[in-house]
Short mmCIF file of all heavy atoms in Angstrom, two decimals:
data_model
loop_
_atom_site.label_atom_id
_atom_site.label_comp_id
_atom_site.label_asym_id
_atom_site.label_seq_id
_atom_site.Cartn_x
_atom_site.Cartn_y
_atom_site.Cartn_z
N LYS S 240 217.19 -5.08 50.01
CA LYS S 240 217.83 -3.99 50.72
C LYS S 240 218.65 -3.04 49.77
O LYS S 240 218.99 -3.45 48.69
CB LYS S 240 218.74 -4.59 51.82
CG LYS S 240 217.85 -5.40 52.84
CD LYS S 240 218.64 -5.76 54.08
CE LYS S 240 217.59 -6.52 54.98
NZ LYS S 240 218.24 -6.77 56.35
N TYR S 280 211.12 -1.98 62.10
CA TYR S 280 212.15 -2.62 62.95
C TYR S 280 211.90 -2.32 64.43
O TYR S 280 212.87 -2.26 65.19
CB TYR S 280 213.52 -2.22 62.48
CG TYR S 280 213.98 -2.90 61.21
CD1 TYR S 280 214.55 -2.27 60.14
CD2 TYR S 280 213.90 -4.34 61.09
CE1 TYR S 280 214.89 -2.87 59.00
CE2 TYR S 280 214.36 -4.98 59.96
CZ TYR S 280 214.85 -4.30 58.89
OH TYR S 280 215.29 -4.92 57.81
N HIS S 282 211.08 -4.16 66.72
CA HIS S 282 211.61 -5.23 67.66
C HIS S 282 213.08 -5.04 67.84
O HIS S 282 213.71 -5.69 68.69
CB HIS S 282 211.28 -6.60 67.09
CG HIS S 282 211.88 -6.88 65.76
ND1 HIS S 282 211.57 -6.24 64.60
CD2 HIS S 282 212.83 -7.75 65.42
CE1 HIS S 282 212.27 -6.74 63.55
NE2 HIS S 282 213.09 -7.64 64.01
N LEU S 283 213.73 -4.16 67.06
CA LEU S 283 215.19 -3.90 67.26
C LEU S 283 215.50 -2.52 67.82
O LEU S 283 216.68 -2.21 68.02
CB LEU S 283 215.90 -4.04 65.90
CG LEU S 283 215.73 -5.41 65.14
CD1 LEU S 283 216.43 -5.28 63.75
CD2 LEU S 283 216.33 -6.53 65.93
N PHE S 288 222.90 -0.97 67.74
CA PHE S 288 223.16 -0.78 66.36
C PHE S 288 221.96 -0.31 65.58
O PHE S 288 222.00 -0.19 64.32
CB PHE S 288 223.82 -1.95 65.69
CG PHE S 288 223.07 -3.30 65.93
CD1 PHE S 288 222.01 -3.61 65.08
CD2 PHE S 288 223.41 -4.19 66.89
CE1 PHE S 288 221.26 -4.78 65.26
CE2 PHE S 288 222.72 -5.35 67.12
CZ PHE S 288 221.66 -5.63 66.30
N ILE S 292 221.32 0.51 61.48
CA ILE S 292 220.31 -0.15 60.59
C ILE S 292 219.44 0.90 59.87
O ILE S 292 219.22 0.83 58.67
CB ILE S 292 219.39 -1.10 61.41
CG1 ILE S 292 220.21 -2.23 62.00
CG2 ILE S 292 218.23 -1.64 60.56
CD1 ILE S 292 219.39 -3.21 62.84
N ARG S 316 211.96 -17.78 53.83
CA ARG S 316 212.93 -17.77 54.89
C ARG S 316 214.02 -18.80 54.68
O ARG S 316 215.19 -18.56 54.88
CB ARG S 316 212.36 -17.81 56.29
CG ARG S 316 211.46 -16.64 56.73
CD ARG S 316 212.20 -15.42 57.00
NE ARG S 316 213.12 -15.51 58.11
CZ ARG S 316 213.67 -14.48 58.75
NH1 ARG S 316 213.29 -13.24 58.41
NH2 ARG S 316 214.53 -14.64 59.71
N THR S 322 220.32 -14.74 59.41
CA THR S 322 220.60 -13.32 59.36
C THR S 322 222.10 -13.01 58.99
O THR S 322 222.34 -12.14 58.14
CB THR S 322 220.28 -12.68 60.73
OG1 THR S 322 218.98 -13.04 61.13
CG2 THR S 322 220.47 -11.20 60.74
N ARG S 333 221.37 -15.43 51.15
CA ARG S 333 222.35 -14.65 51.95
C ARG S 333 223.72 -15.31 51.87
O ARG S 333 224.78 -14.63 51.85
CB ARG S 333 221.88 -14.58 53.42
CG ARG S 333 220.79 -13.53 53.56
CD ARG S 333 220.13 -13.58 54.94
NE ARG S 333 219.27 -12.38 55.12
CZ ARG S 333 218.41 -12.29 56.15
NH1 ARG S 333 218.34 -13.30 57.04
NH2 ARG S 333 217.66 -11.26 56.26
N LYS S 340 226.27 -9.44 58.79
CA LYS S 340 225.06 -9.54 59.58
C LYS S 340 223.99 -8.50 59.14
O LYS S 340 222.84 -8.69 59.09
CB LYS S 340 225.34 -9.28 61.06
CG LYS S 340 225.60 -10.53 61.77
CD LYS S 340 225.71 -10.18 63.31
CE LYS S 340 226.43 -11.29 64.04
NZ LYS S 340 226.96 -10.87 65.30
N MET S 341 224.56 -7.29 58.83
CA MET S 341 223.62 -6.18 58.43
C MET S 341 223.28 -6.22 56.93
O MET S 341 222.15 -6.07 56.60
CB MET S 341 224.20 -4.85 58.88
CG MET S 341 223.27 -3.73 58.57
SD MET S 341 223.73 -2.16 59.30
CE MET S 341 223.74 -2.57 61.06
N ASN S 343 222.63 -8.12 54.32
CA ASN S 343 222.21 -9.51 54.05
C ASN S 343 221.10 -9.61 53.00
O ASN S 343 220.26 -10.49 53.03
CB ASN S 343 221.80 -10.22 55.39
CG ASN S 343 220.74 -9.47 56.10
OD1 ASN S 343 220.10 -8.55 55.56
ND2 ASN S 343 220.47 -9.82 57.32
P1 LIG O 437 216.19 -11.10 59.97
O1 LIG O 437 216.30 -10.06 58.93
O2 LIG O 437 217.05 -12.28 59.65
O3 LIG O 437 214.75 -11.43 60.30
P2 LIG O 437 216.29 -9.57 62.48
O4 LIG O 437 214.84 -9.22 62.37
O5 LIG O 437 216.86 -10.05 63.78
O6 LIG O 437 216.83 -10.53 61.33
O7 LIG O 437 217.17 -8.19 62.12
C1 LIG O 437 216.68 -7.31 61.18
C2 LIG O 437 217.91 -6.78 60.43
O8 LIG O 437 218.74 -6.01 61.31
C3 LIG O 437 218.81 -7.87 59.85
O9 LIG O 437 218.35 -8.38 58.69
C4 LIG O 437 220.13 -7.09 59.71
O10 LIG O 437 220.15 -6.27 58.52
C5 LIG O 437 220.09 -6.21 60.95
N1 LIG O 437 220.79 -6.85 62.13
C6 LIG O 437 220.30 -7.79 62.94
N2 LIG O 437 221.18 -8.25 63.87
C7 LIG O 437 222.28 -7.48 63.61
C8 LIG O 437 223.64 -7.44 64.20
N3 LIG O 437 223.93 -8.22 65.28
N4 LIG O 437 224.49 -6.57 63.65
C9 LIG O 437 224.22 -5.79 62.58
N5 LIG O 437 222.99 -5.79 62.00
C10 LIG O 437 222.07 -6.62 62.45
#
Side-chain angles (χ1 to χ4, degrees):
K240 297 191 178 187
Y280 283 131
H282 62 294
L283 303 177
F288 52 83
I292 296 180
R316 292 289 299 196
T322 307
R333 284 173 169 167
K340 268 187 201 161
M341 182 167 301
N343 56 12

